[in-house]
Amino acid sequence: MLLEVKSLCTEFPVKRGVVRAVDDVSFEVSEGEILAIVGESGSGKSVTSLSIMGLLAEPGHVAGGEMTFDGKDLVHLSEKEYREMRGNDMAMIFQEPMTSLNPVYRIGDQIVEAIRTHEKVSKKEALTRAIDLLRKVGIPSPEARVRDYPHQMSGGMRQRVMIAMALACNPKLLIADEPTTALDVTIQAQILDLLRRLREDTDMAVLLITHDLGVVSEIADRVVVMYCGQVVEEAEVRLLFDNPMHPYTLGLLKSIPRLEDDDSKRLYMIKGMVPNPLEMPPGCHFSDRCDSCMQVCRERMPELVQVGDHKVRCFLYEEQDGHAKDAAEVKANEEKAREAIEAAREVSTAEALIEGDVAREAEEGGADER
């Protein structure tokens, strides 16, 4: 196992108390695997990745748990040891490349610096490698573009430069924090294809942080769903999309518009907002927004239990003693959860009905004219 995270807790002391941004998070990443962490903004995805990289801003700190990378204990590493590891054994691509690249230095110089920081090579050799890296990530005319400044490149090109810089020392783990959010759809597809190809060529593991389930379905092997700093579901990607268990995961998938949807029903929307981290509801953090909420959900926090090939944190699947329910009860509860989701969509709006009728009449009229 390349990366193991066990019961990770990350806290930020503030004037009104302590914000636990990451609460008892556990997962593993194997060599050559792409693991996606998904969830709404504020779910703790980026803080988890920054905790792993040792890049938490003060006063944030790891308050508990274990992190092991390639046999090394990350929790007790000194800053010097972390600097030697970052960029060399593990690297990170940040969400907005323009804020990560120095605007007053040429991109070639920045890649050369990343290489020479960790390896004893000449500047000429490092520059040759920088050009090869730009070519590998699909930048045309790399010999010329290596002399460009960041502002002379498009968003997609800058993101490719960040990937080239991250790959400069052949890391074993690449953490990509929302690498396609600021890009248009066609460039998104190119970046995802690039990450997939690099994984196949180098057997590099990728920890992908995103809120885009479309991106997850395209590239990930396994998925971890986070909500309010906790893991609420984990499964292989196809299994999670075919059979989402947690009401939050089900709500995320149902919120995606589909061509086959009934236009007389409104698009499903998870009600409410993510709670204030200083004023979390008692019991399950998702209880106030859940269409399947039970009384026990407001009283106790569910545990992350193994149900078949899933891990899920929900009382629909957990007995009072903390063990998983039997298969028959699990299936019955899943049906109830799906019925609750559909019931929330049954409220037809006059606008939707009118628009649907107008569209059908126009289509029928067009067919008659033909």
Side-chain angles (χ1 to χ4, degrees):
M1 196 60 62
L2 183 63
L3 174 68
E4 293 182 82
V5 177
K6 296 180 181 178
S7 303
L8 176 65
C9 295
T10 302
E11 295 180 346
F12 290 83
V14 295
K15 289 183 178 179
R16 292 179 55 197
V18 176
V19 174
R20 178 161 281 192
V22 178
D23 186 8
D24 193 27
V25 167
S26 300
F27 59 86
E28 298 175 342
V29 184
S30 303
E31 292 183 7
E33 179 182 34
I34 298 181
L35 175 70
I37 300 181
V38 301
E40 291 173 277
S41 297
S43 62
K45 309 184 302 297
S46 293
V47 175
T48 299
S49 65
L50 293 173
S51 300
I52 295 168
M53 291 291 293
L55 293 174
L56 287 170
E58 294 290 343
H61 63 278
V62 174
E66 302 174 16
M67 295 185 291
T68 306
F69 175 76
D70 202 20
K72 297 177 182 177
D73 180 8
L74 297 181
V75 175
H76 299 102
L77 279 187
S78 67
E79 180 56 31
K80 180 182 178 182
E81 291 171 322
Y82 242 130
R83 280 199 302 269
E84 291 174 354
M85 183 177 290
R86 284 194 294 260
N88 193 27
D89 296 320
M90 60 170 69
M92 188 166 181
I93 305 170
F94 295 94
Q95 182 171 346
E96 177 45 63
M98 198 58 190
T99 61
S100 305
L101 294 169
N102 194 319
V104 300
Y105 288 98
R106 300 178 192 274
I107 62 166
D109 293 335
Q110 297 185 55
I111 299 174
V112 165
E113 181 184 11
I115 295 171
R116 298 190 73 196
T117 297
H118 297 285
E119 299 182 22
K120 294 181 179 180
V121 297
S122 66
K123 190 172 182 180
K124 182 178 180 181
E125 184 180 346
L127 182 60
T128 301
R129 283 176 56 180
I131 292 171
D132 288 340
L133 284 165
L134 293 180
R135 184 178 292 109
K136 182 182 288 188
V137 297
I139 291 182
S141 305
E143 295 84 359
R145 303 309 298 268
V146 77
R147 295 191 294 274
D148 285 354
Y149 290 94
H151 71 271
Q152 295 176 280
M153 292 186 154
S154 66
M157 287 293 186
R158 289 195 292 265
Q159 193 64 282
R160 290 170 187 265
V161 171
M162 282 298 302
I163 294 173
M165 194 178 299
L167 297 174
C169 297
N170 298 313
K172 298 175 183 177
L173 174 68
L174 177 66
I175 299 177
D177 187 5
E178 304 275 11
T180 61
T181 298
L183 308 177
D184 60 60
V185 177
T186 55
I187 302 301
Q188 279 188 28
Q190 293 173 16
I191 295 298
L192 292 178
D193 184 61
L194 172 62
L195 288 175
R196 190 186 298 109
R197 179 161 47 83
L198 291 171
R199 187 271 295 265
E200 293 171 354
D201 292 344
T202 64
D203 201 33
M204 172 185 66
V206 179
L207 180 61
L208 177 67
I209 311 294
T210 184
H211 64 269
D212 190 333
L213 290 168
V215 169
V216 172
S217 67
E218 284 288 324
I219 194 172
D221 299 313
R222 282 190 304 118
V223 188
V224 169
V225 182
M226 289 186 66
Y227 182 77
C228 287
Q230 294 182 323
V231 175
V232 296
E233 187 167 359
E234 179 182 344
E236 186 270 331
V237 64
R238 288 272 63 89
L239 182 60
L240 184 128
F241 274 77
D242 292 341
N243 183 33
M245 285 187 164
H246 197 281
Y248 178 60
T249 311
L250 186 60
L252 290 176
L253 291 170
K254 286 289 186 180
S255 300
I256 301 172
R258 291 176 172 81
L259 291 174
E260 65 270 17
D261 279 350
D262 184 350
D263 62 7
S264 67
K265 295 180 181 179
R266 65 179 184 180
L267 184 65
Y268 179 74
M269 176 180 65
I270 300 175
K271 62 186 179 183
M273 300 287 290
V274 176
N276 186 325
L278 291 170
E279 300 173 358
M280 288 292 185
C284 176
H285 295 334
F286 190 60
S287 58
D288 288 345
R289 308 179 69 191
C290 182
D291 292 313
S292 304
C293 182
M294 302 174 285
Q295 184 58 37
V296 66
C297 303
R298 302 186 184 279
E299 298 171 352
R300 290 177 47 222
M301 173 64 69
E303 300 293 329
L304 192 66
V305 295
Q306 187 83 37
V307 182
D309 293 327
H310 269 79
K311 289 181 181 177
V312 62
R313 187 188 299 273
C314 183
F315 284 116
L316 291 174
Y317 307 94
E318 181 190 342
E319 297 285 7
Q320 295 287 342
D321 60 3
H323 292 86
K325 294 180 177 179
D326 61 55
E329 192 170 2
V330 164
K331 186 174 181 180
N333 285 335
E334 286 179 342
E335 288 300 321
K336 290 179 182 177
R338 283 167 172 74
E339 288 172 4
I341 292 284
E342 286 305 313
R345 297 183 63 227
E346 286 295 337
V347 182
S348 300
T349 62
E351 291 83 357
L353 290 170
I354 292 171
E355 288 176 3
D357 289 338
V358 169
R360 279 189 289 273
E361 289 173 3
E363 185 176 354
E364 292 169 0
D368 291 342
E369 291 175 2
R370 290 194 294 271

